[in-house]
Structures are given as structure tokens and as C-alpha cells.
Amino acid sequence: DSLIAHISLQRIFQFQEEDYVCNDFELPRWWPRLGGLDIGVNHPTGAVAAAYDEESDTIYFYREYQIAGKSAPDHAMSLRKWDLPAFAADRSAWQRDKGSTLTVASIYEDCGINMISAGNVPGTWAPSVFDIRTRIREGRFFIFSSLSMLREQMRLYRTKEDGITVVKKDDDLIDPMRYVCMNIKSAMQRKNDANNDIILPGSDEPFDAYSII
């Protein structure tokens, strides 16, 4: 079966909540952490935090943030309190506007947030969704019950009738969630790299997180 066949129905995550929602619990301090960030322009800025149980290869999402109408420094100051080693963000955060030397990512970094590129190049949406679906089926993906906004967005996350095009509405926490799942293993290794290289998008590459071609 192709990846498209697995996600072609309109509701993308066709699971019961009890399959992936767990009661909040105290996370072991030694579990690696990573944040996901979707920087809002014409929509709210959304962020999630996750811990990774390396022994069982299980990801636990334990914190959420979704606020509209604030500046990038305001968001960054709030998220800095999460005390995470890094946030994986959309590649477009490193895109410069014409005539400007600043990027949105640099603003967050100036406020003390370590940013890494999520690597959401065209063609990565379907595999990321397929991976989350697989994790849910195998009991390796959980969301704390206190994360009411993310839970609701998981229920509502859909494609249009073509089974491919994502309905871009009320999904400001879904993309950060995908970014975490795509990067939580590699980010742990990258964090320990002395060079801490950030993968920057090429200037000639499209910023399309939803292409599956």
C-alpha cells in the first residue's frame, strides 16, 4: 500500500482517544525533551513540548501553547520558561524578507530559544503522518490528557475530498507535533554536536510542508 492509501480518508487520525491519550504523570528527568513550534503570521502561534522514552521509543507530549496577537519576542519569552534544549520549527522561519537581515528564527534565538529546522521539505508530510499513525497503533505515541487543544485538533485534523490536501484550519499544534516526531531522535544527537549546525532551507526550495509528491 502507498502512504497515500493510508491517509486518504478525510479524518487523518482515525483512532479513539484512549488509544493515544494518557493521564498526566511525572516524567523522568533523564528523558530527552524537544519542542515543536509553528510561528503564526495570519494564525495563532502554536507550540508543544515532548519527552522521549528512548528505551521503548515512545513520545509523550506534555505541554501546549497556542496564542494569537503577540509579537515574536513575547512568544519566545513565554516558551523559554519551558526550559527545553531546542524547538523544531518550520523551515520558513529562516527565510529573510527582502531588505532585512533578520529572520523570525533569529528573533527567537536572540530571546534565548535554540531553534532547529524541522526539515519539512516537500514530500515529508505523508511520511510524518504515517509515522504518527504507526506509533499510535503500536502504543508509542501519547498525549497528556491535560492538553485539551491538541486533543481537539487531533480529532478535527482532516483532508479535503481529494484525500491529499490538508484542511488548513485549527491545526496550529498539529504541525509542531509533527516536527517533534520528525526530529526528536536526531535532535538529541544534534544537541550534543559541538558545531550544532542548523539545516537552513535553500533559497530556491519551496516552503511547502504538505506536498506528498
Side-chain angles (χ1 to χ4, degrees):
D1 293 344
S2 68
L3 292 177
I4 297 176
H6 287 281
I7 59 174
S8 60
L9 297 177
Q10 289 190 27
R11 185 181 174 194
I12 294 173
F13 297 115
Q14 299 179 32
F15 298 93
Q16 299 298 317
E17 277 205 355
E18 52 263 32
D19 293 333
Y20 60 86
V21 174
C22 67
N23 292 328
D24 295 21
F25 65 93
E26 185 174 354
L27 296 162
R29 288 178 295 175
W30 59 87
W31 283 5
R33 313 293 170 99
L34 181 67
L37 175 62
D38 182 22
I39 298 170
V41 178
N42 298 315
H43 59 87
T45 289
V48 294
Y52 180 52
D53 179 0
E54 296 175 282
E55 184 175 345
S56 64
D57 186 26
T58 303
I59 302 173
Y60 293 88
F61 287 87
Y62 64 92
R63 186 166 288 178
E64 63 181 4
Y65 174 94
Q66 181 176 302
I67 295 180
K70 287 190 175 183
S71 67
D74 287 337
H75 292 305
M77 296 304 292
S78 295
L79 295 175
R80 192 172 70 174
K81 297 176 183 178
W82 289 11
D83 194 26
L84 293 175
F87 280 84
D90 187 288
R91 299 166 64 251
S92 61
W94 283 266
Q95 187 176 27
R96 288 182 174 85
D97 292 332
K98 290 184 178 180
S100 174
T101 59
L102 290 177
T103 66
V104 177
S106 69
I107 295 174
Y108 277 79
E109 289 172 336
D110 287 345
C111 293
I113 300 291
N114 184 27
M115 301 277 283
I116 62 173
S117 171
N120 53 314
V121 297
T124 57
W125 178 81
S128 70
V129 169
F130 183 71
D131 175 64
I132 293 171
R133 289 170 59 89
T134 300
R135 284 184 170 278
I136 293 174
R137 283 195 300 268
E138 297 178 353
R140 296 184 292 114
F141 175 99
F142 291 98
I143 296 171
F144 276 15
S145 59
S146 59
L147 274 57
S148 59
M149 293 184 293
L150 180 56
R151 289 168 55 191
E152 181 178 9
Q153 291 182 23
M154 286 280 287
R155 292 193 298 267
L156 298 176
Y157 198 45
R158 298 175 182 272
T159 64
K160 296 181 180 179
E161 292 183 0
D162 61 10
I164 297 175
T165 307
V166 177
V167 177
K168 291 299 296 172
K169 182 180 179 181
D170 300 324
D171 65 344
D172 301 298
L173 299 176
I174 296 293
D175 281 343
M177 179 187 74
R178 290 194 306 108
Y179 301 159
V180 167
C181 292
M182 291 167 63
N183 290 277
I184 197 162
K185 290 183 180 180
S186 60
M188 298 308 108
Q189 180 178 356
R190 193 181 312 175
K191 180 173 69 72
N192 296 324
D193 184 350
N195 294 325
N196 196 27
D197 292 331
I198 293 175
I199 301 173
L200 296 177
S203 59
D204 58 345
E205 293 178 348
F207 294 92
D208 177 9
Y210 303 102
S211 171
I212 60 175
I213 299 175

